[in-house]
Amino acid sequence: MAVLGCGFDPGVTGVFTAYALKHHFDEIHYLDIVDCNAGDHGHPFATNFNPEINIREITQKGKYYENSNWVEVEPFSVHRSINYPEIGQRESYLLYHEELESLVKHIPTIKRARFWMTFSESYLTHLQVLQNVGLTSIEPIEYEGHQIVPLQFLKAVLPAPSSLGQNYEGQTSIGCHIRGIKDGKPKTYYIYNNCDHAKAYQEVGAQAVAYTTGVPAMLGAMLVLTGEWQGEGVFNVEQLNPDPFLAKLGTYGLPWHESINNSEEFGD
């Protein structure tokens, strides 16, 4: 048995969606996954995980699913202010994120699925400058007789993500806004987790982005090893029973919360 993408997003976001479908909906029609990092690590510019992956992910074209089609948009061209629990309003940008691919496949009633992530103006300004001078490119260049990849050089001069935790303050907030039908009536549902950077560092010596990635991976492995998740072949998390996962998630430091018929964040 192999389980793909068992971090937070992808990972817990798929479990959240499966849980919503199992317990709250007959059909899910609209899914908006929201990811906010409202933390401050004190550096002018840094990425919270591997800069090569992070920067390539956010500078590619945005993509979302609507009416059985994939729609592409220019990077950062679609954005809106979203309210995050305990954090408040943050400008959030539509990105392509890989869990959308499997979620719309395994939950075919979905009419639209989107992914949103927050970025500060300072972060976007730094990123634009780095793009303009070519430092986010993955095309090799000749430098003093050697072939180097500009993005790999940038990675070498940026702070290591593992070094950010000590002075990190603030929270992450990641969740799923879902709309659909239950017993013939429209229903809204919001399920999310907030994680505190300083508390994560105090517990394990890592910032919240690493914490929210590592705990779900451990928990998924545990469920496979104990036989609570079983099967032959390759699975995405939304294909598996969400209940044992969410029953344990809070126990291992990531408590989750839900709001039923109380969210108009994505009423459009």
Side-chain angles (χ1 to χ4, degrees), residues 59-64 70-79 93-96:
T59 55
Q60 68 179 323
K61 287 190 175 183
K63 189 165 71 169
Y64 64 97
W70 289 98
V71 182
E72 280 195 351
V73 297
E74 291 301 312
F76 307 112
S77 63
V78 178
H79 54 95
Y93 295 81
L94 188 147
L95 300 183
Y96 166 72

Side-chain angles (χ1 to χ4, degrees), residues 42-76:
H43 295 274
F45 184 83
T47 62
N48 291 289
F49 54 95
N50 187 327
E52 288 185 78
I53 297 172
N54 194 178
I55 291 174
R56 289 180 67 180
E57 175 183 83
I58 65 177
T59 55
Q60 68 179 323
K61 287 190 175 183
K63 189 165 71 169
Y64 64 97
Y65 179 84
E66 187 165 27
N67 297 326
S68 302
N69 294 305
W70 289 98
V71 182
E72 280 195 351
V73 297
E74 291 301 312
F76 307 112

